[in-house]
Amino acid sequence: MGHMSINQLNRQFANAPDKVDITGAQMVLVMKLTAFCWNVQDGRLPTKDLADFQRERALTQLPSVLDFAGYVLFFPSLFAGPSFDYVDYRRWIETSMFEVPPGIDLASRPRTRKQRKIPRSGTPAAIKAALGGIWIFLFLKFSVLYNADLVLSDQFMRYGFFRRVWILQMLGFSTRMKYYGVWYLTEGACILSGMGYKGIETKTGRVRWNRLQNVNPWGIETAQNSRAYLENWNMNTNNWLRNYMYLRVTPKGKKPGFRASLATFVTSAFWHGFYPGYYLSFILAAFLQTVAKNFRRHVRPFFLTPDGQRPTPYKIYYDVVCYFTTQVAFCFTTAPFVLLTLPSSLLVWSRVYFYAVLGTVASMALFASPAKPYLIQKLRARNQPALERAAAATAATIKQEKKEQEEEEEQEENRKYADYRDGKEHPLMGLPSDPGRDVDEAIREIQEEVETRRRKGRAGQVPTVVEMKAAVEDK
């Protein structure tokens, strides 16, 4: 990581696009090497102390130098990824990856060439390569029309506001096409080698080749919320940050909190580099996730039936608004990721009047105002009759309704932390999904530390969480 950071700083200050840049390959190496180190550490721990994921990837014995070099320098993914764990590489070398699982008819197993165990992968690899070539071709065409020079030029300001926003959207799309193309080509190379094999579907008997899928263009371009947008981008990096940073810094038996989110964010930021544009995008995207969560939690239920199981006839309008809002917000947010420098990023943001920043601030102010309790009250009033009818149907539901008032505060807390506790939610691309929750967690941890010191006679009276939060906000 340190050597990569030095090279990233050298690239940033040299600002010489004609020079060979090796930081992309180093980013892949960092993911592989850190994952390998954690796998070795897991192999030294008692099995009972490991989670299922750790147990599957733990290395009890170090590989030979040749096997280690083959894993680290695996050519199809050397320069642009995707990254994968050593246990996958070993299973690929030993061909145990291609064993037919129980429940699959041996007669319907995928065809192989002669004595090879690797199923024929030429067709899916060729399809990925063709799609990658198409994305690269489209990038070459669109990047001529939509590029950083256009949004920084005086010509950009001659267009109307909506035209400028459209150009920002196309700038982001044309930039993404470059990554789509490269990642499709590398995924196709991994499929051709057999490394992309992910087993056989039990029902259909079809071979899956998406083990190393790194991007889902359709999922990104049709995303209706920030989480769908981010989880379909650079998937293997998301997995690496979750499995080898976010969950690793969390003490056993505790749910991930502020420290885990902060460590993941810092790691992701340093891993990407030191251009100010990266950090502008990261910070704004984190707050966008908070806003999206609030709307999904407090507004979306109005477009569902009272039981929350089916959409109402008006749900389609909510989906359309969410789609356009998400795409427009992220084309603004990701612009600094393309422009990189602080002056250029702020200039382009100012040329579209900081609309995403203002919208984020306004939304956060809305949910910090009495509007949030009002929405909760209206939603309860709307859903209560239906819930009461459902409660009358079974004794279990009636019992749950009787406990609702006394457990309301606890349920609200559990809802906030449930995804973190179950490992279902994690910072995508290292971005904290709820900065407000992380601030509360930080204050709680500080208070616990102060309480510990007070017990040891090192401090006086401990302020409450509310008092401490107020003091932090005043600062």
Side-chain angles (χ1 to χ4, degrees):
M1 178 76 86
H3 186 257
M4 181 187 68
S5 297
I6 293 173
N7 285 335
Q8 286 173 331
L9 288 171
N10 181 65
R11 179 189 62 154
Q12 179 175 341
F13 291 116
N15 194 24
D18 57 320
K19 300 293 184 180
V20 176
D21 180 23
I22 64 171
T23 56
Q26 285 188 302
M27 293 169 76
V28 178
L29 289 176
V30 165
M31 288 193 288
K32 283 187 174 182
L33 294 175
T34 51
F36 180 83
C37 291
W38 277 115
N39 296 153
V40 172
Q41 172 64 15
D42 290 340
R44 298 177 177 179
L45 298 176
T47 305
K48 61 181 179 63
D49 294 338
L50 302 178
D52 292 339
F53 174 84
Q54 295 173 280
R55 196 175 298 112
E56 293 172 358
R57 289 160 173 76
L59 298 177
T60 56
Q61 292 182 343
L62 291 177
S64 66
V65 175
L66 180 61
D67 287 346
F68 178 74
Y71 162 67
V72 172
L73 303 176
F74 185 69
F75 185 75
S77 65
L78 177 61
F79 296 106
S83 175
F84 49 88
D85 293 328
Y86 178 78
V87 67
D88 293 326
Y89 177 79
R90 184 175 62 190
R91 293 178 61 224
W92 175 71
I93 287 292
E94 297 172 349
T95 67
S96 59
M97 176 187 293
F98 309 103
E99 295 177 356
V100 179
I104 300 295
D105 186 5
L106 294 178
S108 62
R109 65 176 298 170
R111 293 183 302 169
T112 60
R113 186 179 298 276
K114 297 182 179 180
Q115 300 299 317
R116 294 184 65 189
K117 291 187 177 181
I118 302 177
R120 293 189 176 185
S121 56
T123 299
I127 292 174
K128 283 290 182 180
L131 292 175
I134 292 173
W135 283 119
I136 294 294
F137 174 79
L138 292 175
F139 163 70
L140 295 175
K141 293 297 182 181
F142 277 81
S143 62
V144 175
L145 302 175
Y146 304 99
N147 49 58
D149 292 337
L150 173 61
V151 297
L152 294 173
S153 67
D154 294 335
Q155 176 67 27
F156 185 63
M157 290 304 295
R158 297 193 181 100
Y159 300 121
F161 172 74
F162 292 105
R163 178 71 179 276
R164 295 198 294 269
V165 174
W166 167 255
I167 292 175
L168 273 189
Q169 170 67 18
M170 293 307 297
L171 171 65
F173 180 54
S174 63
T175 303
R176 289 193 297 274
M177 286 192 287
K178 173 179 63 177
Y179 292 95
Y180 294 162
V182 171
W183 284 336
Y184 264 51
L185 290 175
T186 57
E187 185 185 353
C190 291
I191 291 174
L192 189 62
S193 71
M195 181 61 75
Y197 179 79
K198 198 180 179 181
I200 304 173
E201 294 182 1
T202 305
K203 294 183 179 180
T204 64
R206 296 182 58 183
V207 178
R208 294 178 297 173
W209 292 101
N210 61 339
R211 176 184 295 275
L212 299 181
Q213 182 180 5
N214 207 31
V215 69
N216 179 10
W218 179 257
I220 294 172
E221 304 305 333
T222 61
Q224 297 179 15
N225 56 72
S226 60
R227 185 165 189 84
Y229 194 101
L230 293 172
E231 71 182 2
N232 286 294
W233 174 263
N234 211 350
M235 299 175 177
N236 287 283
T237 299
N238 281 325
N239 293 335
W240 171 65
L241 289 170
R242 179 187 68 240
N243 296 326
Y244 297 110
M245 181 52 61
Y246 183 66
L247 298 177
R248 298 289 178 157
V249 299
T250 304
K252 184 180 178 181
K254 294 187 177 181
K255 57 180 175 288
F258 169 73
R259 294 180 182 179
S261 296
L262 179 62
T264 307
F265 174 80
V266 172
T267 301
S268 178
F270 283 169
W271 181 77
H272 279 90
F274 301 94
Y275 280 105
Y278 294 158
Y279 297 86
L280 288 177
S281 294
F282 285 155
I283 293 172
L284 181 56
F287 286 101
L288 282 178
Q289 288 197 87
T290 300
V291 170
K293 272 188 173 183
N294 283 327
F295 274 99
R296 186 173 182 84
R297 183 175 298 165
H298 302 297
V299 177
R300 184 174 180 269
F302 286 101
F303 298 89
L304 301 175
T305 54
D307 59 4
Q309 300 299 316
R310 298 180 304 278
T312 66
Y314 302 102
K315 177 65 162 49
I316 183 64
Y317 302 109
Y318 174 84
D319 292 340
V320 170
V321 171
C322 285
Y323 167 74
F324 281 105
T325 302
T326 298
Q327 297 296 326
V328 169
F330 269 93
C331 78
F332 177 95
T333 304
T334 57
F337 224 92
V338 180
L339 301 170
L340 300 179
T341 65
L342 182 62
S344 297
S345 300
L346 294 179
L347 174 63
V348 172
W349 275 7
S350 67
R351 288 181 166 185
V352 289
Y353 312 121
F354 296 95
Y355 69 83
V357 175
L358 296 178
T360 301
V361 171
S363 298
M364 297 190 72
L366 173 69
F367 288 105
S369 71
K372 180 177 178 180
Y374 175 78
L375 289 173
I376 295 174
Q377 181 181 4
K378 296 293 290 184
L379 186 62
R380 286 177 179 172
R382 171 183 178 267
N383 296 343
Q384 192 65 28
L387 293 177
E388 289 177 353
R389 288 193 297 269
T394 61
T397 306
I398 294 176
K399 184 178 180 180
Q400 185 65 28
E401 287 292 328
K402 290 180 179 179
K403 292 182 178 181
E404 181 177 353
Q405 184 174 1
E406 62 187 32
E407 295 178 353
E408 181 176 350
E409 183 176 352
E410 180 181 355
Q411 290 174 352
E412 175 68 17
E413 187 72 11
N414 288 340
R415 184 166 60 251
K416 289 180 180 179
Y417 292 104
D419 288 334
Y420 289 93
R421 181 181 63 247
D422 299 336
K424 297 178 181 178
E425 182 172 335
H426 59 281
L428 294 167
M429 298 305 297
L431 303 177
S433 56
D434 193 342
R437 185 201 67 83
D438 289 339
V439 170
D440 292 339
E441 181 71 19
I443 293 174
R444 190 175 295 107
E445 291 180 3
I446 293 173
Q447 187 187 32
E448 291 175 355
E449 177 67 21
V450 173
E451 175 66 20
T452 301
R453 291 175 177 269
R454 186 189 67 80
R455 291 173 180 173
K456 295 180 179 180
R458 299 179 183 176
Q461 185 177 2
V462 182
T464 65
V465 173
V466 176
E467 293 171 343
M468 188 175 294
K469 186 174 182 180
V472 171
E473 291 175 348
D474 290 341
K475 293 291 184 182

